[in-house]
Amino acid sequence: MTEHLSSVISSQQRVVDYGSTSKARLSPDPQARASFVLASESPPSVKRYSRMPHNKLKGESQQPLERLEYFLNVLNQMCIGFVTIYMSYITLRTNLATTHLHAWLVTIGFSFFMAEGVMVHYGGNVLTNSYKRSTQTTIHWVLLTLGGGCGAAGALIKMIQKGFLLQTTHGRLGITAFVLCLLAMSSGLAALCSTRVKKLITPLLNKAFHNFVGFACFVIALVAQYYGYQTGYFKARVETDFQILMKCLTLVSLVLSSYGPIKGLYHKFKAISGQY
């Protein structure tokens, strides 16, 4: 009797297959169906380990570098702001005569607008990194148009005053920056209309040329600004210690502002070398 009951009970039990590699026992019950346990329904006590993605590890390793770039960019913005505000304070409290107007225009043109313009597409720029690429391009054009216009006008005022006979290092660098500024604005206009001039030069090559000339103009303009602190105009109004401070701030701004454009030029030249 006991053996009969145990055989009946065992015949009514269903065999559950949990995905084992061994062959499952077939249930004698024709209504029985194998049930499976999904991985997401596994008990919480079971620990599962997954491999960490490579891009996550790479992102974590880049976080300190990105924070450093943000910090240096904020420092650069402070240097640019201090130089612009102080030079505006010196020049705008006068009647903006020829030399005063020259100093103010080249400062806001090259040291402010152009410095901000060349950093617009830089990923570490805390002011523009949240904007879309199209918005960044629009800001870039506006800033460089203002910077190039003001800088070129300021340099032209001094060249007319001196009769285009500039013998000092500051003057010669200023003329060079003026010429490069006009060339950069012309190539920038060609880059904007790249679809029309692509028969003469490829858009990539034209943009690379524009970036190179514009960056060269910016560097020479800020070096000219550095030597401008040694002129009699600035020495007569600022003490020696403050002259050194302004030189240091201008050089720091030049170095920190150049990282983004140099990085962009590297990628463009790399792309050009891959095509030829």
Side-chain angles (χ1 to χ4, degrees):
M1 183 67 178
T2 305
E3 294 179 355
H4 176 70
L5 289 175
S6 61
S7 62
V8 172
I9 294 174
S10 61
S11 64
Q12 293 179 354
Q13 290 178 344
R14 292 188 300 175
V15 178
V16 181
D17 184 10
Y18 290 94
S20 61
T21 57
S22 61
K23 295 182 179 180
R25 293 178 299 172
L26 297 177
S27 172
D29 188 359
Q31 301 296 328
R33 294 182 181 179
S35 60
F36 301 90
V37 178
L38 298 178
S40 59
E41 298 176 355
S42 59
S45 60
V46 178
K47 295 183 179 180
R48 296 182 178 271
Y49 299 92
S50 60
R51 186 175 62 181
M52 184 176 293
H54 177 68
N55 56 357
K56 185 176 181 180
L57 291 172
K58 184 178 179 181
E60 291 179 353
S61 63
Q62 287 182 346
Q63 286 182 358
L65 180 60
E66 291 178 355
R67 292 176 182 175
L68 178 61
E69 289 182 356
Y70 289 150
F71 170 77
L72 293 178
N73 184 258
V74 172
L75 178 63
N76 187 23
Q77 302 290 350
M78 294 173 63
C79 293
I80 293 173
F82 185 87
V83 170
T84 305
I85 292 173
Y86 185 76
M87 289 300 298
S88 298
Y89 167 76
I90 291 178
T91 56
L92 293 180
R93 63 180 181 176
T94 61
N95 57 356
L96 281 182
T98 53
T99 304
H100 299 280
L101 182 60
H102 158 74
W104 182 66
L105 285 176
V106 296
T107 299
I108 65 169
F110 293 131
S111 297
F112 178 67
F113 285 126
M114 188 168 285
E116 294 292 345
V118 298
M119 295 189 300
V120 168
H121 292 107
Y122 172 46
N125 191 346
V126 295
L127 299 179
T128 59
N129 61 354
S130 60
Y131 295 117
K132 297 180 180 179
R133 180 73 180 185
S134 58
T135 305
Q136 291 178 349
T137 302
T138 302
I139 297 174
H140 172 79
W141 285 110
V142 172
L143 289 176
L144 288 187
T145 301
L146 292 173
C150 293
L156 184 61
I157 289 173
K158 198 63 178 179
M159 287 189 291
I160 294 174
Q161 181 186 10
K162 294 292 184 178
F164 294 90
L165 297 176
L166 302 176
Q167 302 298 329
T168 62
T169 304
H170 171 69
R172 292 174 178 174
L173 290 173
I175 292 178
T176 306
F178 173 78
V179 174
L180 290 176
C181 180
L182 296 180
L183 187 59
M185 294 179 71
S186 301
S187 62
L189 183 61
L192 185 63
C193 306
S194 58
T195 55
R196 299 181 181 180
V197 299
K198 64 181 180 180
K199 295 181 179 179
L200 301 175
I201 184 174
T202 60
L204 179 60
L205 190 61
N206 181 48
K207 290 180 181 179
F209 176 76
H210 165 70
N211 291 351
F212 176 77
V213 175
F215 177 64
C217 172
F218 171 70
V219 172
I220 294 177
L222 259 65
V223 174
Q225 178 96 1
Y226 174 87
Y227 282 100
Y229 300 135
Q230 300 179 0
T231 59
Y233 171 82
F234 197 76
K235 288 182 178 180
R237 292 165 176 79
V238 180
E239 297 180 356
T240 305
D241 294 341
F242 214 84
Q243 296 174 22
I244 298 174
L245 175 63
M246 294 294 287
K247 289 180 179 179
C248 293
L249 293 178
T250 301
L251 290 179
V252 170
S253 175
L254 172 59
V255 173
L256 296 182
S257 300
S258 300
Y259 178 74
I262 291 175
K263 190 176 180 180
L265 280 173
Y266 168 76
H267 290 298
K268 281 188 172 56
F269 286 142
K270 187 177 180 180
I272 292 174
S273 63
Q275 291 183 355
Y276 296 96

